[in-house]
Amino acid sequence: MNLQNSTVTILVPEDTTDEQLQLVTQKFASAYIIINKSQVQKGSCQLSENPMPDIDGIVGEYGI
């Protein structure tokens, strides 16, 4: 795969060690998914309480 995407940001858990961060960054770079190491960052990612859309509401709008 050769994406070399300069706009993608990859989030890893905040408790990732610097050594782990470096290894992950190297893997993405060697797979040509990212261009530079600043694209891999420590951060948090949380789902909303209800990550699923209201399927019944959406379908109901079409009379189904």
Side-chain angles (χ1 to χ4, degrees):
M1 187 183 316
N2 186 356
L3 297 177
Q4 289 189 325
N5 189 332
S6 63
T7 60
V8 71
T9 300
I10 298 166
L11 291 177
V12 296
E14 290 177 332
D15 61 349
T16 302
T17 66
D18 290 339
E19 293 81 19
Q20 291 170 324
L21 182 65
Q22 184 178 5
L23 288 172
V24 168
T25 302
Q26 288 173 350
K27 288 186 184 265
F28 281 111
S30 67
Y32 301 105
I33 295 173
I34 61 172
I35 293 176
N36 62 59
K37 65 182 183 179
S38 68
Q39 291 176 262
V40 180
Q41 301 172 7
K42 294 180 185 181
S44 64
C45 181
Q46 297 180 0
L47 295 175
S48 63
E49 287 186 30
N50 187 7
M52 294 298 295
D54 181 11
I55 302 297
D56 292 331
I58 295 169
V59 172
E61 291 178 16
Y62 296 97
I64 298 173

